[in-house]
Amino acid sequence: MLADRLGLHVSTVSRVLHAKPDESHRAASSATVERVRRLADELGYRPNPHATSLRTQRSNLIGVLVPRLSDIVLATIYEGIEEAAGEHGLSTFVTNTRDVPDFQRARTDMVLARRVDGMIFGDAYIDAGFLGEVAARGVPFVLVSRRAGDYPSVTCDDYLGGRMVGEHLLSLGHRDVAVVAGEPYASTGIDRSAGFADAYAEAGIEIPAHRFTHSRFDARGGHEATERLLAAGDPPSAIFAVNDFAAIGAFGAVRDHGLRVGADVAVAGFNDTPLAAELPVPLTTVRSPMHEMGRRGLELLARLLQGEEVSSERLRPELMVRASTTAVLT
Amino acid sequence: MLADRLGLHVSTVSRVLHAKPDESHRAASSATVERVRRLADELGYRPNPHATSLRTQRSNLIGVLVPRLSDIVLATIYEGIEEAAGEHGLSTFVTNTRDVPDFQRARTDMVLARRVDGMIFGDAYIDAGFLGEVAARGVPFVLVSRRAGDYPSVTCDDYLGGRMVGEHLLSLGHRDVAVVAGEPYASTGIDRSAGFADAYAEAGIEIPAHRFTHSRFDARGGHEATERLLAAGDPPSAIFAVNDFAAIGAFGAVRDHGLRVGADVAVAGFNDTPLAAELPVPLTTVRSPMHEMGRRGLELLARLLQGEEVSSERLRPELMVRASTTAVLT
DNA sequence: CTGAAAGCGCTTACAG
DNA sequence: CTGAAAGCGCTTACAG
């Protein structure tokens, strides 16, 4: 269509439009180059990506799977992915799997049916069984947020973050502590819990098994898990919830038991979501670089797609101390 | 490829695969139909969507623009959109515009370059100027969350929701109230504020202009806006923040002024996000059907794409009364 | 320096 | 009942 209006053959137009600035002389005469570029600009011409994909066997599309986009942590990671994708000329598809294996499988099939060039999983199970199948199909992919097996991943150094919280609570004199540990299949909760437990172990304190309880990652889940911890009538002096939403749920359960967060029971979270600092009792938490994690994840995948060797990255967390662990009175 | 293995022509295979169950006899003999279907199943065959799009001039792709996916309200709406899209055989692309007009334009261009069949805007400005341009280009679209002009939209009945909060606070005896009103370009904040003000006006109380202040829609923005309301040293007895996150920010500002939420200053929000009920002081708020809004938005667009006439929908809100407006003591 | 051809994987109207 | 052709909009290696 551009070609028609210029009286040129489409192949000439295509060559011009794809020439790198310094190689335009091999595409056409400078007068032709000039004419083509001007009209393309004027008309806002954009090549049909379906035709391009069909011809080049490359879609420049990336499929992203997350447990839930309504979890601000994953949404923020995805924002990083999308931002970096734009800079690499890639487009992204996201979809929710709710951590349900059947959905992970079905969504992966759907994404692959769209002929993506690669995938990013934000919902990896620690056992990596399903990822093995994906790898066997030859699909290039990376993980974000959670690690699994030896697949390339970009995560927060969750173990270190857990240690930081442990050391912080130890320094405040808490000896009887509990952990709202998240889902058993997610490396985030596993590593954060382990780092926390190790900090205590090194101080000579073994946290008993009944002080650990799994939980969903949302507020409701944190509430229920904390309820289980408090039901015995022997409350710990501090609770580490492995993410901020679970910590907010812990706030609710502590409140329901007539206890005050900060004064009676210290509560710490993980992620430093934007709400943490604004809560009526500001939440002590570990800042994890969520947006950056998404960016790096996309870049790792981009390098993988170029055929480069890549290795996993672990980003540095930072402890944010606030009133939920330090308030004497709320 | 299927065709090769079956010794059939691709056109035959294509016909079989596209025949409706009751018309398969017009596609091929029942034996052939059976063979094609069996092998397609076995191989997990999925037609290349780029080829199909190119041929049919329909991409079955929908572009979705939102201010930010890390806003749980929009993320939840998008989940509804995506869910319904799956049921209609459509795929969706989302992208963030941060409510910045230049980004709205750039992202729209990008989405259109991908040859989507239609768009859903979750980031409409009330003046609808930009949407006019999009309409002029002949792109089918609907709005969700915010209304604008006469374009088809699916929203919460925000005006009614605002009235509900007004009537609730009136019934509690609050006469000096303030509003954290959100961004001036968003119909959500505008309509919620108007409903609230009208409830007061009908009770004979004109809320003075200095008791309204605009704000971003996040916690930080709500904090800053409430700070402005409280700076004069003459605090209102109740504050209506037009969304939950701004309300949580209001919590922070109230706290910083040595006042207690619920006891000294009543605070109400909007949306009933999952956190509202879990806060140390549970938040009174208006439940808006976010997921449903997304579903209906997609369905409205699907009907529009079928060439049907469509009209806007307004979903019913529900008041959730909690301690942030009723606690005598926190 | 530019054009013409082939072909990516489909769908559809037509022929036999 | 099935095949063959045309064509969607591109890109690329080749010819002239």
Side-chain angles (χ1 to χ4, degrees):
Chain A
M1 179 207 132
L2 265 188
D4 285 358
R5 294 187 45 158
L6 290 162
L8 289 168
H9 195 265
V10 291
S11 61
T12 306
V13 172
S14 179
R15 236 178 294 123
V16 169
L17 259 20
H18 283 81
K20 299 191 189 78
D22 51 316
E23 290 181 344
S24 63
H25 55 280
R26 330 175 78 239
S29 69
S30 62
T32 303
V33 168
E34 176 58 21
R35 285 176 60 221
V36 172
R37 291 205 175 134
R38 181 197 299 299
L39 191 65
D41 256 29
E42 200 177 309
L43 265 46
Y45 170 81
R46 308 288 218 104
N48 183 319
H50 301 115
T52 303
S53 297
L54 194 58
R55 173 64 231 239
T56 62
Q57 302 292 61
R58 238 207 160 234
S59 63
N60 292 119
L61 239 37
I62 304 297
V64 182
L65 262 55
V66 297
R68 314 206 65 123
L69 225 32
S70 59
D71 176 337
I72 195 173
V73 175
L74 274 304
T76 307
I77 291 173
Y78 180 67
E79 288 187 356
I81 291 174
E82 208 218 329
E83 188 181 288
E87 297 167 12
H88 287 257
L90 300 169
S91 293
T92 54
F93 268 116
V94 228
T95 182
N96 294 316
T97 65
R98 297 190 221 157
D99 275 329
V100 177
D102 281 355
F103 284 20
Q104 295 174 324
R105 186 164 271 108
R107 299 326 234 146
T108 298
D109 283 348
M110 187 217 87
V111 156
L112 260 17
R114 279 265 163 208
R115 306 304 198 262
V116 298
D117 291 335
M119 294 185 67
I120 299 180
F121 293 93
D123 62 346
Y125 270 48
I126 189 82
D127 68 33
F130 172 59
L131 294 173
E133 295 173 31
V134 179
R137 294 168 76 172
V139 181
F141 68 85
V142 302
L143 314 180
V144 291
S145 183
R146 304 178 185 166
R147 62 179 179 79
D150 288 326
Y151 300 112
S153 63
V154 180
T155 57
C156 177
D157 189 336
D158 292 309
Y159 179 83
L160 177 59
R163 286 194 76 97
M164 287 170 166
V165 176
E167 285 158 12
H168 169 63
L169 292 179
L170 273 168
S171 79
L172 294 170
H174 293 286
R175 303 183 64 81
D176 182 11
V177 297
V179 180
V180 173
E183 299 282 11
Y185 50 73
S187 71
T188 45
I190 294 170
D191 293 348
R192 291 167 196 172
S193 299
F196 184 81
D198 283 359
Y200 267 82
E202 287 172 22
I205 300 172
E206 288 298 332
I207 307 172
H210 75 273
R211 287 306 200 193
F212 289 84
T213 185
H214 289 297
S215 67
R216 296 204 314 268
F217 285 115
D218 57 10
R220 193 75 229 146
H223 189 120
E224 290 162 6
T226 306
E227 193 55 51
R228 288 195 297 277
L229 289 172
L230 299 178
D234 168 32
S237 72
I239 295 172
F240 170 37
V242 301
N243 90 4
D244 283 0
F245 282 69
I248 289 171
F251 276 26
V254 165
R255 177 197 73 211
D256 288 352
H257 277 258
L259 299 168
R260 291 161 305 168
V261 170
D264 299 317
V265 180
V267 175
F270 206 105
N271 285 138
D272 197 26
T273 52
L275 264 70
E278 299 296 335
L279 296 170
V281 184
L283 179 67
T284 292
T285 184
V286 175
R287 175 169 296 174
S288 66
M290 302 175 280
H291 188 92
E292 183 68 13
M293 206 183 294
R295 290 195 59 95
R296 298 275 194 106
L298 187 286
E299 274 154 18
L300 205 64
L301 181 59
R303 295 213 302 276
L304 199 62
L305 295 177
Q306 306 276 325
E308 291 180 35
E309 291 280 314
V310 302
S311 53
S312 296
E313 298 179 22
R314 204 164 297 194
L315 307 183
R316 199 170 172 79
E318 183 187 359
L319 182 69
M320 311 298 292
V321 176
R322 302 203 180 95
S324 70
T325 56
T326 59
V328 178
L329 241 171
T330 55
Chain B
M1 180 209 132
L2 265 188
D4 285 359
R5 292 189 44 162
L6 291 163
L8 289 168
H9 195 264
V10 290
S11 63
T12 306
V13 172
S14 179
R15 237 179 292 123
V16 169
L17 261 18
H18 282 83
K20 299 191 192 81
D22 52 316
E23 291 180 343
S24 63
H25 55 282
R26 327 175 82 236
S29 70
S30 62
T32 304
V33 167
E34 177 58 21
R35 286 175 61 219
V36 170
R37 291 208 177 134
R38 183 200 297 297
L39 190 64
D41 257 29
E42 200 177 309
L43 267 45
Y45 171 80
R46 309 288 218 105
N48 183 318
H50 302 113
T52 303
S53 297
L54 192 58
R55 174 63 229 243
T56 62
Q57 303 291 60
R58 239 208 160 231
S59 64
N60 291 118
L61 241 35
I62 304 297
V64 182
L65 262 56
V66 297
R68 313 207 64 124
L69 224 32
S70 58
D71 177 336
I72 194 172
V73 176
L74 274 304
T76 306
I77 291 173
Y78 180 68
E79 289 187 353
I81 291 174
E82 209 220 330
E83 189 180 287
E87 296 166 13
H88 286 257
L90 300 169
S91 294
T92 53
F93 268 113
V94 228
T95 182
N96 295 317
T97 65
R98 295 188 221 161
D99 275 328
V100 177
D102 281 354
F103 283 20
Q104 294 173 326
R105 185 165 271 109
R107 298 327 233 143
T108 298
D109 283 347
M110 187 216 88
V111 156
L112 260 18
R114 279 264 163 205
R115 307 299 198 265
V116 297
D117 291 334
M119 293 185 68
I120 299 181
F121 292 93
D123 63 344
Y125 270 49
I126 189 80
D127 67 36
F130 172 59
L131 293 173
E133 296 174 31
V134 178
R137 294 168 76 172
V139 180
F141 67 83
V142 303
L143 314 181
V144 292
S145 181
R146 304 178 186 166
R147 63 178 178 79
D150 288 326
Y151 300 112
S153 62
V154 180
T155 57
C156 178
D157 190 337
D158 292 310
Y159 178 83
L160 177 57
R163 284 194 78 95
M164 288 173 167
V165 177
E167 284 158 15
H168 170 62
L169 293 179
L170 273 166
S171 78
L172 294 170
H174 292 285
R175 303 183 64 83
D176 182 9
V177 297
V179 180
V180 173
E183 300 282 11
Y185 50 74
S187 71
T188 47
I190 294 169
D191 293 346
R192 292 168 195 171
S193 300
F196 184 82
D198 283 359
Y200 268 83
E202 286 172 23
I205 299 173
E206 289 297 332
I207 306 171
H210 74 274
R211 288 304 200 194
F212 288 84
T213 183
H214 288 297
S215 68
R216 295 206 314 271
F217 285 115
D218 57 11
R220 192 76 230 147
H223 189 121
E224 290 162 8
T226 306
E227 192 55 51
R228 288 195 298 277
L229 289 172
L230 298 177
D234 169 31
S237 74
I239 296 174
F240 171 37
V242 300
N243 88 7
D244 283 359
F245 282 70
I248 289 173
F251 276 24
V254 165
R255 177 197 72 210
D256 289 353
H257 278 258
L259 299 167
R260 289 162 307 167
V261 170
D264 299 318
V265 181
V267 175
F270 206 106
N271 284 137
D272 196 28
T273 53
L275 264 69
E278 298 297 336
L279 296 171
V281 184
L283 179 66
T284 292
T285 184
V286 175
R287 177 169 294 175
S288 65
M290 303 175 280
H291 188 91
E292 185 65 14
M293 205 183 293
R295 290 195 59 94
R296 299 273 196 105
L298 187 284
E299 274 152 17
L300 204 65
L301 180 59
R303 295 213 301 276
L304 199 63
L305 295 177
Q306 306 276 322
E308 291 180 35
E309 291 279 314
V310 302
S311 55
S312 297
E313 299 179 22
R314 206 164 295 195
L315 308 183
R316 198 168 172 80
E318 182 188 356
L319 182 69
M320 310 299 292
V321 175
R322 303 204 179 96
S324 71
T325 56
T326 59
V328 178
L329 241 169
T330 57

